[in-house]
Amino acid sequence: MGVLTVRRLFTIFIFFLCCLTAIVEAQKLKTFTQVSGPFNDTSYYYDIFEVEKPATISNDALQVTPDSASADFNLTYNSGRVLLNRAFKLWNGDSASNTSRVASFNSSFLVNIYPLQKDTAGEGLAFLIAPDLDLPHNSYGEYLGLTNSTTDGNSSNRLVAVELDTHKQDFDPDANHVGLDINGVRSVVAESLTPYGIELVPMDPRFYNVWVNYDGIKKVIEVYIAEQAEKWGPTPSMPSTPILRSDLDLKDVVNQYSHFGFSASTGNATQLNCVLRWNLTVHYFPEKNHPWLKIVLGVGVPVVVLLLIGVVALAYIHRRRRMRNSNPNILGALKSLPGMPREFDFRDLKKATNNFDDKNKLGQGGYGVVYKGLLASENLEIAVKWFSRESIKGQDDFLAELTIINRLRHKHLVRLLGWCHKNNNLLLVYEYMPNCSLDKHLFAGAKTESLSWKLRYKIISGVASALQYLHNEFDQKVVHRDLKASNIMLDSNFNARLGDFGLARALDNEKTSYAEAEGVLGTIGYIAPECFHTGKATQQSDVYAFGAVLLEVVCGLRPGTKIEGFQFLVDWVWSLHRQDQLSDAVDVRLGDDYVVDEAERILLLGLACSHPIASERPKTQAIVQIISGTVPTPHVPPFKPAFVWPAMLPVDGDTTTANTTSITTSQYSSGWSPQSLLSDQYPLV
Ligand SMILES: *[C@@H]1O[C@H](CO)[C@@H](O)[C@H](O)[C@H]1NC(C)=O
Ligand SMILES: *[C@@H]1O[C@H](CO)[C@@H](O)[C@H](O)[C@H]1NC(C)=O
Ligand SMILES: *[C@@H]1O[C@H](CO)[C@@H](O)[C@H](O)[C@H]1NC(C)=O
Ligand SMILES: *[C@@H]1O[C@H](CO)[C@@H](O)[C@H](O)[C@H]1NC(C)=O
Ligand SMILES: *[C@@H]1O[C@H](CO)[C@@H](O)[C@H](O)[C@H]1NC(C)=O
Ligand SMILES: *[C@@H]1O[C@H](CO)[C@@H](O)[C@H](O)[C@H]1NC(C)=O
Ligand SMILES: *[C@@H]1O[C@H](CO)[C@@H](O)[C@H](O)[C@H]1NC(C)=O
Ligand SMILES: *[C@@H]1O[C@H](CO)[C@@H](O)[C@H](O)[C@H]1NC(C)=O
């Protein structure tokens, strides 16, 4: 079997066995048990119950309609509900399919229904499964707090109730019966209690224990009732035969998530509807199931057979993939390198980002969408970038590139934590930056406070030192290629952290076509003019983009801003420089809260970096020194020199006298040719 060894097959098999176990585990019902009562009116019960007025908790009971002690309420024409706050998942799967399963529950409660008038009582008390915590309006009288005259009988009620009815309506057998109510008060089955010697509202107080048991496998509901001698005496044993028994498929009636509780009502005639104790046991479904669980189960019983087929299929695919890989060792070799970025599991990232929920979206750029995520297992906040680019040229090249990016370590660079490649989807995982990107702060509008001058300066210095590291300090020369305000992230202390370096090339080996990479017009101002001709990013083109960032940070305007008749921000600033009015360019939102010297220095540096001729731009080393003030600001000619192509030799001057000598392109791509990187680093390729 070639690459696919028996051991590997065995591993896959074990993996599937684990999956199977996980499926069985996920299918297991959970058990909820609650024994409650005597009820006191402390926050304990008000927290677990929704006590819907005029229901109260008093006199050691749930008073589902007001008791005589509640002087605030008129005892007639009331309805109330007391429901458990939490909802249970009562069925699983698709309500239309035959493969779904239904939960079971047993409930028992002690009731005391007491008449207030001599010979009449009304209306009744019901044990209830409801879709929500709302009490319908005007559900007094015959409606038992379940429905009202508009909604009674409507299947959208999603209600199941066991009523203890003490008032005879035309549709009732008598004024002392138990009934199963589905979506309405006209019971689908009703049973008089008189033959059983049970009198729900006797003149002397009596206590009845009621059991409502539901078997979700047989889909049968049963109601038992037995009298309890004393209020707080021992619970009688459950009778051997139910008073009421009915087929019931809960799935057909109730919401998947439903609440348990009681409702009751009074009408012209009144009664006290007291629940003194309530035990409830529910075997319910766990809230979360894997989406594929449904599929696997839906296919039927021979899950294991399916999994075996899966093993073979997987093994086949695995083998095919291995065969297709021209150099099967590269991946293994790369993975054993110390600087290899961590490979993330797609499912973990999916979970971390809540299934790539739009709510978690941090931003969207030319290359894809960024989501915020939380790796729960590590309690680590991450930013996940999902690339929209369909194909990645060679996975090995790509990994090689990532390995370099991964080895970069600088306090002003966003750390790459790892990557994930699944079904041609590429995801990169970065540290999460709580303060988003620089552009969000510069152009947030009037709503947010603008960045102070001090912070702006700190950010500029940070970016410069990151560039210096990439260009000169790292053991290879790395070009950022896509420097712009939206790629400058800010950490919790507003330190600049450069992100997304090197990716343009990592993603597309052949060319770095800026126009294609970013269709957004606003970013055009960051691209050095020579790049339109060479299509190559260089250190000098990075410096050009950095110049655009500098102007942007000081002026608070985007590089592509058309202002006072100028096409670009840089042209406007240059004209102010000519008129010796550079300080007019400073962001008006700063008012006078900035250091004039510093602002002018940064603006001049920004102009110097924006020199149309690449070789005339300051080097990164010098930039760092100029920003720190240890080297004087460069001389900037009053007029912006013109761009000439093929490039002319650097001329010392403020005019645009062209020199026809051209520079070879190699000079532009210093230290960064597509092949050099790989061959330097990985002689094994
Ligand atoms: C109220 O009942 C709850 C639950 O039975 C119990 O934990 C709590 O101590 C009771 N509070 C008082 C004041 O009796
Ligand atoms: C209670 O309300 C009913 C009708 O709303 C009214 O007829 C009756 O007089 C009221 N009783 C008391 C005691 O307020
Ligand atoms: C589902 O069950 C119903 C009745 O029990 C039956 O008529 C129907 O054919 C079943 N559907 C499937 C897909 O098994
Ligand atoms: C309900 O009680 C019956 C016995 O009366 C028991 O067999 C069943 O497991 C119980 N169901 C639940 C959900 O507790
Ligand atoms: C409720 O549970 C308690 C504790 O398990 C038990 O003592 C009591 O008899 C139960 N009540 C009913 C009505 O089943
Ligand atoms: C019945 O209840 C529903 C929902 O609470 C409400 O919209 C409707 O107006 C009520 N009907 C009557 C007659 O009060
Ligand atoms: C049942 O209720 C729904 C939603 O409240 C309503 O659209 C529908 O018309 C009602 N059906 C009947 C028969 O009243
Ligand atoms: C209300 O009850 C009284 C007796 O308690 C009776 O005389 C009266 O007719 C009843 N009214 C209605 C509307 O049922």
Side-chain angles (χ1 to χ4, degrees), residues 73-77:
F73 300 109
N74 186 336
L75 296 181
T76 58
Y77 301 104

Side-chain angles (χ1 to χ4, degrees), residues 94-114:
D94 188 349
S95 66
S97 84
N98 293 359
T99 56
S100 64
R101 298 198 306 151
V102 181
S104 299
F105 66 85
N106 286 351
S107 178
S108 61
F109 48 94
L110 180 64
V111 296
N112 173 220
I113 303 177
Y114 190 72

Side-chain angles (χ1 to χ4, degrees), residues 35-45 48:
V35 177
S36 42
F39 297 100
N40 54 35
D41 65 348
T42 58
S43 64
Y44 175 82
Y45 284 116
I48 58 173

Side-chain angles (χ1 to χ4, degrees), residues 21-226:
T21 321
I23 289 170
V24 172
E25 273 302 309
Q27 271 301 94
K28 263 194 194 154
L29 294 175
K30 291 191 164 182
T31 303
F32 167 89
T33 304
Q34 179 167 290
V35 177
S36 42
F39 297 100
N40 54 35
D41 65 348
T42 58
S43 64
Y44 175 82
Y45 284 116
Y46 282 98
D47 284 348
I48 58 173
F49 293 135
E50 179 77 11
V51 179
E52 289 172 62
K53 277 194 178 119
T56 59
I57 300 177
S58 64
N59 285 343
D60 296 329
L62 305 176
Q63 309 284 349
V64 189
T65 53
D67 72 332
S68 46
S70 316
D72 311 353
F73 300 109
N74 186 336
L75 296 181
T76 58
Y77 301 104
N78 277 317
S79 62
R81 279 186 184 183
V82 178
L83 296 169
L84 259 187
N85 260 327
R86 66 164 291 177
F88 294 93
K89 187 174 182 183
L90 294 184
W91 44 270
N92 203 2
D94 188 349
S95 66
S97 84
N98 293 359
T99 56
S100 64
R101 298 198 306 151
V102 181
S104 299
F105 66 85
N106 286 351
S107 178
S108 61
F109 48 94
L110 180 64
V111 296
N112 173 220
I113 303 177
Y114 190 72
L116 294 163
Q117 290 131 316
K118 274 275 169 264
D119 45 5
T120 66
E123 292 272 343
L125 171 74
F127 172 74
L128 158 76
I129 304 175
D132 50 43
L133 296 169
D134 297 335
L135 174 72
H137 298 295
N138 298 323
S139 53
Y140 56 79
E142 63 187 277
Y143 297 110
L144 302 179
L146 298 172
T147 57
N148 64 27
S149 57
T150 0
T151 63
D152 193 58
N154 191 324
S155 60
S156 68
N157 288 338
R158 318 290 282 163
L159 284 182
V160 167
V162 172
E163 61 166 39
L164 300 172
D165 197 337
T166 60
H167 201 88
K168 184 178 177 342
Q169 310 293 341
D170 336 330
F171 49 82
D172 285 332
D174 64 5
N176 185 39
H177 65 271
V178 57
L180 175 64
D181 295 352
I182 293 179
N183 294 322
V185 293
R186 289 162 192 264
S187 307
V188 293
V189 207
E191 189 70 32
S192 172
L193 294 172
T194 316
Y196 296 87
I198 294 165
E199 213 183 324
L200 285 175
V201 271
M203 288 320 292
D204 53 323
R206 278 192 213 166
F207 305 94
Y208 288 103
N209 235 311
V210 181
W211 290 262
V212 177
N213 289 1
Y214 179 71
D215 184 331
I217 295 167
K218 293 191 191 131
K219 300 196 169 61
V220 167
I221 190 166
E222 290 175 338
V223 182
Y224 304 79
I225 303 177

